[in-house]
């Protein structure tokens, strides 16, 4: 099992999108790489905690290779946008790829290189080691499964690619 953390704007849509793929074993939404411990959603939105809305993904790399997972991720973000995805803006909506396993760096670097070549300029996607991750409140977990008509910046057709 491998683990990676992806920040792609509002975490509801990123979780729903990632959950559809074979090889994804578990996801959880939360707050990553901020400067306070165990923040609440209110803290992240209104108290400058520095956290990014992020999805922790545990996956089987034999079924879903890291490069494939990251190429899917790039389907749902604007990699040139700074602190904004869709209608959401603020540092908590920045894009980022965070890792705890240094063996993922080569795969991450390859996909970042491909996406940089496509864009023709540097990306606004952070690539950093994970400093911390705090799971979000229960009502945020699998939010779009519980609220199918809830807000999502990702086009709805992308949420059902693998069905």
């Amino acid at each position: 099992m491998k683990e990676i953390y992806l920040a792609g704007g509002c975490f509801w849509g990123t979780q729903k999108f990632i959950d559809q793929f074979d090889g994804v074993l578990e996801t959880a939404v939360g707050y990553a790489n901020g400067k306070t411990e165990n923040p609440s959603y209110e803290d992240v939105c209104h108290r400058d905690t520095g956290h990014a809305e992020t999805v922790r993904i545990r996956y089987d790399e034999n079924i879903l290779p890291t490069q494939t997972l990251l190429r899917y991720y790039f389907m749902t973000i604007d990699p040139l946008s700074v602190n904004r995805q869709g209608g959401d803006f603020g540092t908590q909506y920045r894009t980022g790829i965070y890792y705890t396993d240094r063996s993922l760096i080569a795969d991450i670097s390859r996909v970042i290189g491909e996406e940089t070549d496509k864009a023709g300029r540097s990306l606004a996607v952070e690539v950093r080691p994970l400093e911390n991750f705090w799971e979000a409140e229960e009502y945020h977990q699998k939010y779009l499964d519980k609220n199918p008509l809830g807000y999502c910046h990702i086009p709805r057709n992308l949420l059902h690619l693998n069905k």
Side-chain angles (χ1 to χ4, degrees):
M1 179 176 71
K2 294 285 186 177
E3 183 173 86
I4 197 164
Y5 297 75
L6 300 178
C10 176
F11 49 26
W12 297 341
T14 302
Q15 182 179 44
K16 178 74 173 168
F17 176 75
I18 294 297
D19 277 342
Q20 72 181 301
F21 298 108
D22 292 337
V24 173
L25 306 174
E26 175 188 318
T27 60
V29 297
Y31 314 111
N33 285 8
K35 57 189 176 195
T36 61
E37 291 189 13
N38 202 23
S40 68
Y41 182 69
E42 287 299 313
D43 293 335
V44 171
C45 289
H46 303 294
R47 294 190 181 84
D48 191 30
T49 66
H51 291 88
E53 289 194 15
T54 301
V55 180
R56 180 184 65 218
I57 304 160
R58 293 183 175 143
Y59 61 103
D60 182 337
E61 192 173 42
N62 294 316
I63 298 169
L64 180 60
T66 301
Q67 289 183 34
T68 301
L69 174 60
L70 292 174
R71 288 180 186 116
Y72 287 146
Y73 163 72
F74 274 96
M75 291 173 66
T76 65
I77 64 166
D78 175 351
L80 303 174
S81 183
V82 177
N83 298 331
R84 177 181 212 116
Q85 291 296 307
D88 298 314
F89 60 93
T91 58
Q92 72 268 31
Y93 299 113
R94 68 188 181 269
T95 53
I97 300 169
Y98 310 122
Y99 57 89
T100 57
D101 180 349
R102 295 186 58 78
S103 73
L104 299 179
I105 294 172
D107 288 331
I108 294 168
S109 295
R110 181 179 183 116
V111 175
I112 289 289
E114 292 170 2
E115 293 296 327
T116 300
D117 288 347
K118 282 184 203 172
R121 61 182 174 137
S122 295
L123 307 181
V125 179
E126 293 182 325
V127 177
R128 298 180 40 203
L130 182 75
E131 297 169 18
N132 53 58
F133 178 80
W134 306 95
E135 279 197 29
E137 298 83 348
E138 181 56 35
Y139 72 92
H140 288 297
Q141 305 299 330
K142 311 283 187 189
Y143 182 86
L144 291 176
D145 289 342
K146 299 173 199 171
N147 301 281
L149 299 178
Y151 167 78
C152 185
H153 68 284
I154 297 172
R156 296 287 171 169
N157 65 313
L158 291 180
L159 300 179
H160 305 287
L161 288 177
N162 207 28
K163 301 290 182 211

